[in-house]
PDB file of all heavy atoms in Angstrom:
ATOM      1  N   ARG C 182      31.848  29.027  14.521  1.00  0.00           N
ATOM      2  CA  ARG C 182      32.222  27.613  14.472  1.00  0.00           C
ATOM      3  C   ARG C 182      31.421  26.808  15.475  1.00  0.00           C
ATOM      4  O   ARG C 182      30.966  25.692  15.191  1.00  0.00           O
ATOM      5  CB  ARG C 182      33.722  27.457  14.730  1.00  0.00           C
ATOM      6  CG  ARG C 182      34.587  27.922  13.556  1.00  0.00           C
ATOM      7  CD  ARG C 182      36.058  27.763  13.906  1.00  0.00           C
ATOM      8  NE  ARG C 182      36.902  28.175  12.786  1.00  0.00           N
ATOM      9  CZ  ARG C 182      38.247  28.209  12.854  1.00  0.00           C
ATOM     10  NH1 ARG C 182      38.859  27.858  13.992  1.00  0.00           N
ATOM     11  NH2 ARG C 182      38.929  28.588  11.798  1.00  0.00           N
ATOM     12  N   SER C 183      31.254  27.368  16.691  1.00  0.00           N
ATOM     13  CA  SER C 183      30.496  26.628  17.710  1.00  0.00           C
ATOM     14  C   SER C 183      29.040  26.487  17.305  1.00  0.00           C
ATOM     15  O   SER C 183      28.433  25.433  17.485  1.00  0.00           O
ATOM     16  CB  SER C 183      30.606  27.340  19.063  1.00  0.00           C
ATOM     17  OG  SER C 183      30.023  28.633  18.979  1.00  0.00           O
ATOM     18  N   ARG C 184      28.473  27.565  16.722  1.00  0.00           N
ATOM     19  CA  ARG C 184      27.092  27.455  16.275  1.00  0.00           C
ATOM     20  C   ARG C 184      26.966  26.457  15.140  1.00  0.00           C
ATOM     21  O   ARG C 184      26.003  25.697  15.064  1.00  0.00           O
ATOM     22  CB  ARG C 184      26.579  28.833  15.827  1.00  0.00           C
ATOM     23  CG  ARG C 184      26.355  29.793  16.965  1.00  0.00           C
ATOM     24  CD  ARG C 184      25.481  30.954  16.504  1.00  0.00           C
ATOM     25  NE  ARG C 184      26.110  31.693  15.418  1.00  0.00           N
ATOM     26  CZ  ARG C 184      26.887  32.757  15.592  1.00  0.00           C
ATOM     27  NH1 ARG C 184      27.137  33.188  16.822  1.00  0.00           N
ATOM     28  NH2 ARG C 184      27.416  33.383  14.569  1.00  0.00           N
ATOM     29  N   GLY C 185      27.955  26.435  14.235  1.00  0.00           N
ATOM     30  CA  GLY C 185      27.916  25.477  13.140  1.00  0.00           C
ATOM     31  C   GLY C 185      28.042  24.058  13.635  1.00  0.00           C
ATOM     32  O   GLY C 185      27.390  23.144  13.125  1.00  0.00           O
ATOM     33  N   THR C 186      28.864  23.840  14.672  1.00  0.00           N
ATOM     34  CA  THR C 186      29.003  22.496  15.214  1.00  0.00           C
ATOM     35  C   THR C 186      27.699  22.030  15.839  1.00  0.00           C
ATOM     36  O   THR C 186      27.284  20.883  15.674  1.00  0.00           O
ATOM     37  CB  THR C 186      30.135  22.478  16.261  1.00  0.00           C
ATOM     38  OG1 THR C 186      31.331  22.931  15.641  1.00  0.00           O
ATOM     39  CG2 THR C 186      30.333  21.084  16.809  1.00  0.00           C
ATOM     40  N   GLN C 187      26.997  22.932  16.535  1.00  0.00           N
ATOM     41  CA  GLN C 187      25.740  22.559  17.140  1.00  0.00           C
ATOM     42  C   GLN C 187      24.670  22.275  16.088  1.00  0.00           C
ATOM     43  O   GLN C 187      23.843  21.404  16.260  1.00  0.00           O
ATOM     44  CB  GLN C 187      25.282  23.670  18.082  1.00  0.00           C
ATOM     45  CG  GLN C 187      26.185  23.846  19.296  1.00  0.00           C
ATOM     46  CD  GLN C 187      25.749  25.008  20.152  1.00  0.00           C
ATOM     47  OE1 GLN C 187      24.774  25.695  19.832  1.00  0.00           O
ATOM     48  NE2 GLN C 187      26.468  25.257  21.235  1.00  0.00           N
ATOM     49  N   SER C 188      24.715  23.013  14.980  1.00  0.00           N
ATOM     50  CA  SER C 188      23.699  22.809  13.953  1.00  0.00           C
ATOM     51  C   SER C 188      23.883  21.490  13.230  1.00  0.00           C
ATOM     52  O   SER C 188      22.956  21.005  12.609  1.00  0.00           O
ATOM     53  CB  SER C 188      23.745  23.955  12.935  1.00  0.00           C
ATOM     54  OG  SER C 188      25.005  23.954  12.260  1.00  0.00           O
ATOM     55  N   TYR C 189      25.100  20.915  13.306  1.00  0.00           N
ATOM     56  CA  TYR C 189      25.365  19.642  12.646  1.00  0.00           C
ATOM     57  C   TYR C 189      25.213  18.467  13.601  1.00  0.00           C
ATOM     58  O   TYR C 189      25.731  17.391  13.347  1.00  0.00           O
ATOM     59  CB  TYR C 189      26.771  19.638  12.041  1.00  0.00           C
ATOM     60  CG  TYR C 189      26.902  20.502  10.820  1.00  0.00           C
ATOM     61  CD1 TYR C 189      28.137  21.015  10.440  1.00  0.00           C
ATOM     62  CD2 TYR C 189      25.800  20.816  10.043  1.00  0.00           C
ATOM     63  CE1 TYR C 189      28.261  21.814   9.313  1.00  0.00           C
ATOM     64  CE2 TYR C 189      25.917  21.619   8.923  1.00  0.00           C
ATOM     65  CZ  TYR C 189      27.142  22.120   8.569  1.00  0.00           C
ATOM     66  OH  TYR C 189      27.264  22.910   7.456  1.00  0.00           O
ATOM     67  N   HIS C 190      24.511  18.664  14.706  1.00  0.00           N
ATOM     68  CA  HIS C 190      24.287  17.569  15.648  1.00  0.00           C
ATOM     69  C   HIS C 190      23.282  16.605  15.033  1.00  0.00           C
ATOM     70  O   HIS C 190      22.111  16.936  14.853  1.00  0.00           O
ATOM     71  CB  HIS C 190      23.760  18.115  16.973  1.00  0.00           C
ATOM     72  CG  HIS C 190      23.651  17.080  18.046  1.00  0.00           C
ATOM     73  ND1 HIS C 190      24.712  16.691  18.820  1.00  0.00           N
ATOM     74  CD2 HIS C 190      22.597  16.330  18.462  1.00  0.00           C
ATOM     75  CE1 HIS C 190      24.323  15.763  19.674  1.00  0.00           C
ATOM     76  NE2 HIS C 190      23.045  15.524  19.475  1.00  0.00           N
ATOM     77  N   CYS C 191      23.736  15.401  14.684  1.00  0.00           N
ATOM     78  CA  CYS C 191      22.891  14.432  13.986  1.00  0.00           C
ATOM     79  C   CYS C 191      21.838  13.882  14.942  1.00  0.00           C
ATOM     80  O   CYS C 191      22.146  13.470  16.065  1.00  0.00           O
ATOM     81  CB  CYS C 191      23.747  13.296  13.428  1.00  0.00           C
ATOM     82  SG  CYS C 191      22.803  12.029  12.555  1.00  0.00           S
ATOM     83  N   ARG C 192      20.592  13.860  14.488  1.00  0.00           N
ATOM     84  CA  ARG C 192      19.494  13.375  15.312  1.00  0.00           C
ATOM     85  C   ARG C 192      19.235  11.878  15.126  1.00  0.00           C
ATOM     86  O   ARG C 192      18.341  11.340  15.772  1.00  0.00           O
ATOM     87  CB  ARG C 192      18.223  14.161  14.972  1.00  0.00           C
ATOM     88  CG  ARG C 192      18.361  15.650  15.213  1.00  0.00           C
ATOM     89  CD  ARG C 192      17.111  16.407  14.816  1.00  0.00           C
ATOM     90  NE  ARG C 192      17.278  17.835  15.012  1.00  0.00           N
ATOM     91  CZ  ARG C 192      16.360  18.752  14.712  1.00  0.00           C
ATOM     92  NH1 ARG C 192      15.194  18.366  14.202  1.00  0.00           N
ATOM     93  NH2 ARG C 192      16.582  20.027  14.911  1.00  0.00           N
ATOM     94  N   CYS C 194      22.097   9.402  14.860  1.00  0.00           N
ATOM     95  CA  CYS C 194      23.119   8.666  15.621  1.00  0.00           C
ATOM     96  C   CYS C 194      23.736   9.490  16.741  1.00  0.00           C
ATOM     97  O   CYS C 194      24.642   9.011  17.425  1.00  0.00           O
ATOM     98  CB  CYS C 194      24.205   8.178  14.677  1.00  0.00           C
ATOM     99  SG  CYS C 194      25.258   9.495  14.016  1.00  0.00           S
ATOM    100  N   ARG C 195      23.291  10.749  16.914  1.00  0.00           N
ATOM    101  CA  ARG C 195      23.794  11.650  17.963  1.00  0.00           C
ATOM    102  C   ARG C 195      25.246  12.053  17.727  1.00  0.00           C
ATOM    103  O   ARG C 195      25.914  12.517  18.656  1.00  0.00           O
ATOM    104  CB  ARG C 195      23.652  11.028  19.361  1.00  0.00           C
ATOM    105  CG  ARG C 195      22.248  10.547  19.691  1.00  0.00           C
ATOM    106  CD  ARG C 195      21.250  11.651  19.542  1.00  0.00           C
ATOM    107  NE  ARG C 195      19.888  11.182  19.796  1.00  0.00           N
ATOM    108  CZ  ARG C 195      18.810  11.934  19.603  1.00  0.00           C
ATOM    109  NH1 ARG C 195      18.941  13.158  19.139  1.00  0.00           N
ATOM    110  NH2 ARG C 195      17.606  11.449  19.850  1.00  0.00           N
ATOM    111  N   GLY C 196      25.742  11.890  16.515  1.00  0.00           N
ATOM    112  CA  GLY C 196      27.093  12.329  16.204  1.00  0.00           C
ATOM    113  C   GLY C 196      27.113  13.798  15.817  1.00  0.00           C
ATOM    114  O   GLY C 196      26.092  14.488  15.801  1.00  0.00           O
ATOM    115  N   ILE C 197      28.320  14.278  15.496  1.00  0.00           N
ATOM    116  CA  ILE C 197      28.494  15.674  15.100  1.00  0.00           C
ATOM    117  C   ILE C 197      28.804  15.689  13.615  1.00  0.00           C
ATOM    118  O   ILE C 197      29.954  15.616  13.196  1.00  0.00           O
ATOM    119  CB  ILE C 197      29.614  16.361  15.909  1.00  0.00           C
ATOM    120  CG1 ILE C 197      29.368  16.180  17.410  1.00  0.00           C
ATOM    121  CG2 ILE C 197      29.696  17.839  15.544  1.00  0.00           C
ATOM    122  CD1 ILE C 197      28.067  16.798  17.895  1.00  0.00           C
ATOM    123  N   HIS C 198      27.783  15.731  12.788  1.00  0.00           N
ATOM    124  CA  HIS C 198      27.928  15.771  11.331  1.00  0.00           C
ATOM    125  C   HIS C 198      26.554  16.018  10.715  1.00  0.00           C
ATOM    126  O   HIS C 198      25.525  15.791  11.360  1.00  0.00           O
ATOM    127  CB  HIS C 198      28.517  14.456  10.801  1.00  0.00           C
ATOM    128  CG  HIS C 198      27.820  13.239  11.294  1.00  0.00           C
ATOM    129  ND1 HIS C 198      28.371  12.366  12.219  1.00  0.00           N
ATOM    130  CD2 HIS C 198      26.568  12.744  11.047  1.00  0.00           C
ATOM    131  CE1 HIS C 198      27.523  11.405  12.486  1.00  0.00           C
ATOM    132  NE2 HIS C 198      26.412  11.603  11.780  1.00  0.00           N
ATOM    133  N   PRO C 199      26.531  16.470   9.461  1.00  0.00           N
ATOM    134  CA  PRO C 199      25.228  16.627   8.792  1.00  0.00           C
ATOM    135  C   PRO C 199      24.574  15.271   8.567  1.00  0.00           C
ATOM    136  O   PRO C 199      25.240  14.230   8.530  1.00  0.00           O
ATOM    137  CB  PRO C 199      25.599  17.296   7.454  1.00  0.00           C
ATOM    138  CG  PRO C 199      26.975  17.844   7.646  1.00  0.00           C
ATOM    139  CD  PRO C 199      27.644  16.965   8.640  1.00  0.00           C
ATOM    140  N   LEU C 200      23.272  15.280   8.381  1.00  0.00           N
ATOM    141  CA  LEU C 200      22.544  14.028   8.204  1.00  0.00           C
ATOM    142  C   LEU C 200      22.992  13.294   6.941  1.00  0.00           C
ATOM    143  O   LEU C 200      23.067  12.063   6.926  1.00  0.00           O
ATOM    144  CB  LEU C 200      21.041  14.308   8.134  1.00  0.00           C
ATOM    145  CG  LEU C 200      20.142  13.082   7.949  1.00  0.00           C
ATOM    146  CD1 LEU C 200      20.253  12.147   9.140  1.00  0.00           C
ATOM    147  CD2 LEU C 200      18.701  13.502   7.732  1.00  0.00           C
ATOM    148  N   LYS C 202      25.818  12.917   5.795  1.00  0.00           N
ATOM    149  CA  LYS C 202      27.089  12.220   5.995  1.00  0.00           C
ATOM    150  C   LYS C 202      27.003  11.162   7.092  1.00  0.00           C
ATOM    151  O   LYS C 202      28.023  10.554   7.427  1.00  0.00           O
ATOM    152  CB  LYS C 202      28.188  13.227   6.335  1.00  0.00           C
ATOM    153  CG  LYS C 202      28.505  14.196   5.206  1.00  0.00           C
ATOM    154  CD  LYS C 202      29.658  15.108   5.572  1.00  0.00           C
ATOM    155  CE  LYS C 202      29.988  16.063   4.429  1.00  0.00           C
ATOM    156  NZ  LYS C 202      31.125  16.972   4.783  1.00  0.00           N
ATOM    157  N   CYS C 203      25.813  10.956   7.620  1.00  0.00           N
ATOM    158  CA  CYS C 203      25.651   9.976   8.694  1.00  0.00           C
ATOM    159  C   CYS C 203      25.731   8.560   8.121  1.00  0.00           C
ATOM    160  O   CYS C 203      24.949   8.191   7.232  1.00  0.00           O
ATOM    161  CB  CYS C 203      24.298  10.187   9.387  1.00  0.00           C
ATOM    162  SG  CYS C 203      23.946   8.975  10.686  1.00  0.00           S
TER     163      CYS C 203
END
Side-chain angles (χ1 to χ4, degrees):
R182 287 179 179 176
S183 63
R184 289 197 299 268
T186 303
Q187 293 176 359
S188 63
Y189 287 156
H190 187 83
C191 179
R192 300 178 182 178
C194 71
R195 307 304 177 187
I197 307 299
H198 50 252
L200 180 64
K202 295 184 179 180
C203 177

